Amino acid sequence: MRVYRFEGDFGSQNIWQVQSEIEALLDEGVTKLVLNVGRMTFINSSALGFLIKVWKDVTPKGGTVVFSEPTDFMTRTLSVLGLDTVFKVYPDDDTALAALED
């Protein structure tokens, strides 16, 4: 179980770096991941697709991907795309981590 914190945009400028960092966590055996998006200012469709792929990869292993500290932008993005039914969203890291322990 880990928390990954985003800073700024998650898109074409840094998608490969973020993918590499998250994939390294998965390679370590992490299957429960909290994505702290409190400082995320933008996410593009490729980046969202990657996060959906991560969720699909960990779910069969009993894991999940959740979001914490969502900004208004991220809350709207998830809602408009219907992803709020896929990803659970928590107000902070502690609440998200506690939920993943159950």
Side-chain angles (χ1 to χ4, degrees), residues 10-87:
F10 180 25
S12 57
Q13 298 296 324
N14 65 349
I15 191 168
W16 302 115
Q17 175 189 348
V18 173
Q19 283 180 332
S20 176
E21 291 169 358
I22 290 176
E23 286 172 353
L25 292 173
L26 300 178
D27 289 345
E28 291 175 17
V30 174
T31 58
K32 294 181 179 182
L33 191 58
V34 175
L35 303 176
N36 182 307
V37 293
R39 294 186 179 177
M40 180 186 286
T41 55
F42 175 79
I43 187 167
N44 72 12
S45 59
S46 295
L48 273 171
F50 170 70
L51 297 180
I52 292 167
K53 178 190 173 302
V54 170
W55 180 84
K56 286 182 177 181
D57 288 347
V58 299
T59 300
K61 299 173 186 172
T64 194
V65 176
V66 301
F67 291 96
S68 69
E69 296 186 24
T71 60
D72 289 341
F73 162 77
M74 196 62 186
T75 300
R76 279 191 315 274
T77 299
L78 293 173
S79 177
V80 166
L81 297 174
L83 294 175
D84 54 347
T85 62
V86 175
F87 296 105

